[in-house]
Amino acid sequence: MSKHGIEGSDAASGTASQAAIGPGMTGEAPAYPVSTPVPPARSGTAHSRKLHLGHVAFMRAVVQGLDTRESWNRYLRIEGEHDDIRNVRRTVQWIRDEFAAAAKRHERYGTARLVRLDATRITDKEQALPSLEDFAIEHGLLDFSESEQLEYYEAHHGQHTQRQSRRVRVVARQLDALAWLEKLVAQPPHPDDPIASWLHPDLVAHLDAGGIKSVRQLVDRINGLGKRWWTGLRAIGAAKAERIMDWLHAHEASLGLTIGAHVHIKRSALRPHELARVVQASTAVVPLEKLVVPSALDGANGLYRAPRQLCRIDAKTDLGAVLAWIKAKPGLSSEQTAALKRKRRVDPAAPEGQASWLNYLSHTQRAYRKEAERFLLWAIVERRKALSSMTSEDCQTYRAFLANPLPAERWCGPRGREKWGPLWRPFEAPLSPRAQAQAITILKNLFKFLVDQYYLIGNPWNDVAPPKSASRPATERRFSREQWELIEDQLDHLPATSANQRLRFALHFFYATGLRLSEAVAAKLDHLDWMSYPGDKPGDEIVEGWELTVRGKGETLRGVPVPFDLVDELSAYLVARGLASDIKDHANRGAFLFGKAIDVAERAPWSPERTTAFDSKEGIATSTLYAQLKDFFTTCAAKLASTDPKGAQAFEAASTYWLRHTHGAHSIDAGVPFDVLQQNLGHASLNTIVLPAPNDGRRRMQAVQAFWAQKGKRTK
């Protein structure tokens, strides 16, 4: 035996001792002994976890006795931090158990026992062996030959060298076993794998509670929500989110899923053209502007296409025909479009696609686009037919689909997911009978347009009737007087926040005017004017008051009287927003009736809006006011849950449209003439069309003031 041979064994022993100590631990016990009792990992799923190449690479470091911190952080940080020694031990034990189980399945029982061994325990309680030279010096053997020195060395340390050699042999055999197991059990993750197959059970439980089941859904959430994608998931904070992101980046090649660069940028700093790149165009459930229609399904040769020479629209395909129909509906003015672009921070230098106009639609156009988009996607993705080849039977099937869009994970998603992201879905949930009826009505209109333009030869929706239960009487969608008193009572108990001031004014405004949500959010102080109406005969009293000019459906303008008390409330609300109390003050020009909350920085310091420049004149999105009103109705429902279950159900179902119906019903009860109500609401008819009477503005002003006066008497 040479001097170098002895020193080699000694070096191996020293390495083993370091591994036994491990980072941040003493040398009294091995870092990850297999015999250490640890609690079993919590299991929140029926899926068994899988081993990937990172597990094998980490175990190589453990077997060789290397410092495992770097290997853990590189391969297994998704399991938690390395400083959590109990978790590291538990993970090592789980990996060894999985290796042993795989060996047993292949009847390699010796290998199963081998991979459970902790080789560091073979010599970890022994002292490090000296080199042959040090031994000779210590024992005065320098004048002896090397063979004589070795003889004395073996006599003194023979048992220790045998143990050291055994450890080296065990490590070599374990490394060979890992090479065999790597080919046998290590798998790359795939996008549709359950997250339970790859992530720690604790993480799986929290993600599963948030509706995330697969790796693809996890990546979609990250890409769909951006930088703070983990907010809203219980017990998932920034540290755990970072570990998940690291794991996804490490396995990006096998997953074939890419986390977009936008995820690392604050949402407020992203421009629309940057977000437009997140979802690629495809033949899938995507918005119209991202839909790629296969040539066989594009309708160029649709079964029911009219002769091409007769067609009056420049549309070669069904998608082009649908877009022509949407364009034919009343849209935004150029000024409104420009204002919307400024609000969305659209970069004027960034190129926009041919379908970019779909981002700037009127309320009517958005409603029509939604139903056409749903039907076209269903025809292409689910039915595999061109829109211009749809039959009456297809339309009947689609009507049933509206009541239960399946598979839900493909068609349904939470409200408010923006179209630029992968979380967007055409439906929120199955449509109510009333919503189904509205969808059918709009689709009939679409196909009527296509027939009128000689694009199609017939309308397959003509024979499709809406659901029988769709014609629910309006009385079921309004608040009773008792329920409105509850609303007033709840308003009185709200904290005096900026958002609650807006809520109070909004409820009173909708009750007094009956406006649509989109009309109210678009209203500005500039649209509110003082009006004087003389009498029909000499001596009649002049009727004066405030009137709001509203742009309604079809871009038609109408004047809606606004009660004096409500204008006083509006003045107080303006002051709370930092504006002048005088409605017509020059400083208020351009201000919207409904503005953003001004105390965001104080009440929501975590909100990204706290750092943005605040404009007290700026308006809000319809979704913002809708969500606030819905939340308030839910609070009212909770108030009634124990004493009035039916009333609670009504509040749970209530929406902003209930306020419009409530205005109508209570106005009629107060004696407002039908024709006045019809004109205030902007309806073409109230069951029957009533022609406007002479001096109409005067009658409407008197009627609304009388209605509001009665409301004041009831609430005192």
Side-chain angles (χ1 to χ4, degrees):
M1 181 182 295
S2 69
K3 183 192 301 183
H4 298 293
I6 294 293
E7 288 176 346
S9 297
D10 186 51
S13 175
T15 304
S17 298
Q18 293 172 7
I21 295 173
M25 300 182 66
T26 67
E28 298 178 357
Y32 316 118
V34 71
S35 58
T36 302
V38 292
R42 292 199 300 263
S43 177
T45 176
H47 294 285
S48 60
R49 296 184 67 192
K50 298 180 181 180
L51 295 167
H52 55 72
L53 293 174
H55 292 113
V56 180
F58 174 73
M59 287 305 295
R60 282 199 182 95
V62 172
V63 166
Q64 294 177 86
L66 303 177
D67 186 332
T68 58
R69 179 180 294 274
E70 181 179 349
S71 297
W72 178 273
N73 289 336
R74 182 176 180 182
Y75 300 116
L76 296 183
R77 189 163 171 255
I78 188 68
E79 303 288 341
E81 296 299 334
H82 186 273
D83 294 335
D84 186 353
I85 298 301
R86 286 175 60 84
N87 182 49
V88 175
R89 288 173 174 169
R90 183 166 55 210
T91 302
V92 170
Q93 179 173 320
W94 167 72
I95 296 173
R96 282 176 168 153
D97 289 344
E98 290 297 307
F99 284 162
K104 287 178 181 179
R105 287 195 296 270
H106 287 74
E107 300 183 352
R108 298 273 293 264
Y109 299 103
T111 301
R113 290 191 296 272
L114 176 66
V115 295
R116 287 181 179 274
L117 286 176
D118 182 3
T120 61
R121 294 176 65 84
I122 296 173
T123 60
D124 63 3
K125 292 184 179 179
E126 304 294 338
Q127 293 181 349
L129 299 180
S131 67
L132 183 60
E133 183 179 358
D134 290 341
F135 179 80
I137 293 173
E138 181 182 355
H139 292 276
L141 302 175
L142 289 177
D143 294 333
F144 286 68
S145 66
E146 185 174 294
S147 60
E148 289 174 323
Q149 290 176 357
L150 285 171
E151 184 179 350
Y152 277 102
Y153 192 98
E154 289 289 347
H156 199 274
H157 291 296
Q159 184 181 12
H160 300 313
T161 56
Q162 290 174 8
R163 289 182 178 179
Q164 182 65 47
S165 298
R166 179 175 174 240
R167 179 197 176 277
V168 172
R169 291 196 303 271
V170 169
V171 169
R173 290 175 60 203
Q174 285 184 329
L175 291 175
D176 289 340
L178 288 180
W180 174 72
L181 285 164
E182 179 177 346
K183 298 177 182 178
L184 181 68
V185 300
Q187 305 176 50
H190 294 284
D192 294 315
D193 286 345
I195 54 171
S197 298
W198 299 109
L199 304 187
H200 192 281
D202 290 344
L203 286 177
V204 171
H206 301 315
L207 293 172
D208 185 78
I212 302 171
K213 312 289 184 184
S214 70
V215 179
R216 187 186 300 278
Q217 288 177 325
L218 176 59
V219 174
D220 280 351
R221 179 184 177 93
I222 294 171
N223 280 330
L225 297 184
K227 190 173 179 66
R228 293 177 60 83
W229 63 268
W230 41 269
T231 55
L233 295 173
R234 188 177 65 85
I236 300 290
K240 290 179 182 176
E242 183 184 357
R243 293 202 296 268
I244 292 172
M245 292 275 284
D246 288 345
W247 184 85
L248 290 171
H249 281 304
H251 295 280
E252 198 170 82
S254 66
L255 288 171
L257 301 174
T258 303
I259 295 175
H262 70 285
V263 171
H264 306 288
I265 304 172
K266 288 183 178 180
R267 174 67 177 87
S268 58
L270 289 166
R271 297 293 187 94
H273 71 276
E274 295 171 318
L275 294 172
R277 295 194 291 261
V278 173
V279 174
Q280 299 300 311
S282 62
T283 306
V285 180
V286 293
L288 284 182
E289 52 267 40
K290 292 295 179 71
L291 179 62
V292 176
V293 183
S295 57
L297 306 176
D298 66 6
N301 298 300
L303 190 60
Y304 302 112
R305 287 288 301 270
R308 306 298 192 272
Q309 63 273 21
L310 298 179
C311 187
R312 299 196 299 185
I313 55 175
D314 185 19
K316 305 296 188 296
T317 64
D318 295 341
L319 178 55
V322 168
L323 296 179
W325 170 70
I326 296 173
K327 273 189 174 180
K329 302 302 174 185
L332 299 179
S333 65
S334 57
E335 293 80 8
Q336 290 172 317
T337 301
L340 195 55
K341 286 185 176 183
R342 288 193 298 271
K343 182 177 180 181
R344 295 177 180 175
R345 300 172 56 251
V346 175
D347 185 355
E352 290 191 293
Q354 291 183 345
S356 61
W357 61 272
L358 287 170
N359 298 319
Y360 315 109
L361 302 179
S362 66
H363 179 74
T364 299
Q365 286 177 316
R366 290 199 305 271
Y368 279 57
R369 173 222 168 108
K370 178 174 66 176
E371 300 304 339
E373 187 171 57
R374 287 170 170 175
F375 187 51
L376 181 61
L377 288 174
W378 179 82
I380 301 299
V381 176
E382 201 75 25
R383 205 68 169 173
R384 305 297 298 170
K385 292 180 71 173
L387 199 74
S388 52
S389 297
M390 289 285 109
T391 64
S392 181
E393 290 77 10
D394 292 322
C395 296
Q396 296 281 0
T397 303
Y398 181 71
R399 184 184 71 171
F401 173 79
L402 292 175
N404 192 20
L406 294 176
E409 61 272 14
R410 174 187 294 173
W411 293 102
C412 299
R415 177 188 292 271
R417 300 305 188 207
E418 296 182 81
K419 286 182 177 289
W420 60 261
L423 296 179
W424 175 84
R425 296 292 183 273
F427 296 89
E428 181 182 356
L431 298 189
S432 66
R434 186 172 182 83
Q436 293 173 46
Q438 181 180 6
I440 292 170
T441 299
I442 291 175
L443 291 173
K444 283 183 178 180
N445 182 280
L446 165 62
F447 277 80
K448 181 181 183 300
F449 171 85
L450 298 180
V451 172
D452 290 345
Q453 300 302 319
Y454 297 104
Y455 182 85
L456 293 179
I457 61 173
N459 188 341
W461 284 97
N462 281 343
D463 298 326
V464 180
K468 292 182 179 179
S469 56
S471 56
R472 185 170 56 176
T475 53
E476 295 182 13
R477 290 180 286 113
R478 65 175 176 84
F479 296 113
S480 66
R481 298 200 181 281
E482 292 74 16
Q483 290 169 336
W484 192 261
E485 289 175 4
L486 172 68
I487 288 174
E488 294 284 4
D489 182 66
Q490 287 296 107
L491 285 175
D492 290 340
H493 289 83
L494 289 177
T497 67
S498 178
N500 286 339
Q501 286 175 305
R502 181 179 65 206
L503 174 66
R504 173 186 291 275
F505 173 65
L507 284 164
H508 291 161
F509 179 82
F510 284 116
Y511 183 83
T513 63
L515 261 62
R516 299 177 178 91
L517 177 62
S518 58
E519 295 171 342
V521 170
K524 294 184 176 181
L525 296 180
D526 302 352
H527 305 154
L528 196 59
D529 296 295
W530 181 263
M531 304 295 290
S532 296
Y533 293 104
D536 294 325
K537 301 188 296 291
D540 283 351
E541 182 181 358
I542 294 176
V543 176
E544 296 182 313
W546 290 97
E547 191 169 279
L548 182 68
T549 301
V550 177
R551 187 179 296 275
K553 284 188 174 182
E555 294 297 290
T556 57
L557 298 177
R558 70 182 190 277
V560 178
V562 180
F564 297 116
D565 290 348
L566 188 62
V567 173
D568 291 340
E569 191 171 341
L570 171 60
S571 294
Y573 172 51
L574 293 176
V575 171
R577 285 165 56 187
L579 297 172
S581 61
D582 184 357
I583 304 297
K584 306 308 290 185
D585 191 293
H586 181 77
N588 287 342
R589 290 188 62 180
F592 285 84
L593 259 64
F594 295 95
K596 292 185 176 181
I598 63 172
D599 53 2
V600 173
E602 174 188 348
R603 299 189 175 275
W606 59 87
S607 172
E609 289 190 17
R610 77 189 190 284
T611 60
T612 58
F614 179 77
D615 184 357
S616 56
K617 295 183 181 181
E618 190 176 354
I620 58 174
T622 54
S623 57
T624 300
L625 190 53
Y626 179 90
Q628 187 179 13
L629 289 164
K630 283 290 289 184
D631 287 345
F632 177 75
F633 295 151
T634 301
T635 302
C636 293
K639 183 78 173 178
L640 291 176
S642 59
T643 58
D644 183 7
K646 286 188 177 181
Q649 289 178 2
F651 273 104
E652 284 286 358
S655 66
T656 54
Y657 213 73
W658 280 50
L659 298 172
R660 186 165 163 84
H661 279 272
T662 301
H663 167 81
H666 291 196
S667 295
I668 292 172
D669 290 346
V672 175
F674 278 91
D675 61 317
V676 170
L677 179 60
Q678 170 196 329
Q679 293 166 68
N680 285 347
L681 293 175
H683 273 170
S685 66
L686 293 175
N687 296 327
T688 59
I689 297 178
V690 182
L691 295 176
N695 206 349
D696 184 58
R698 174 186 172 86
R699 295 177 63 245
R700 288 189 290 110
M701 187 74 71
Q702 288 177 314
V704 169
Q705 290 177 1
F707 158 66
W708 192 259
Q710 289 194 28
K711 182 253 183 197
K713 292 177 182 178
R714 289 194 300 272
T715 56
K716 287 181 179 178

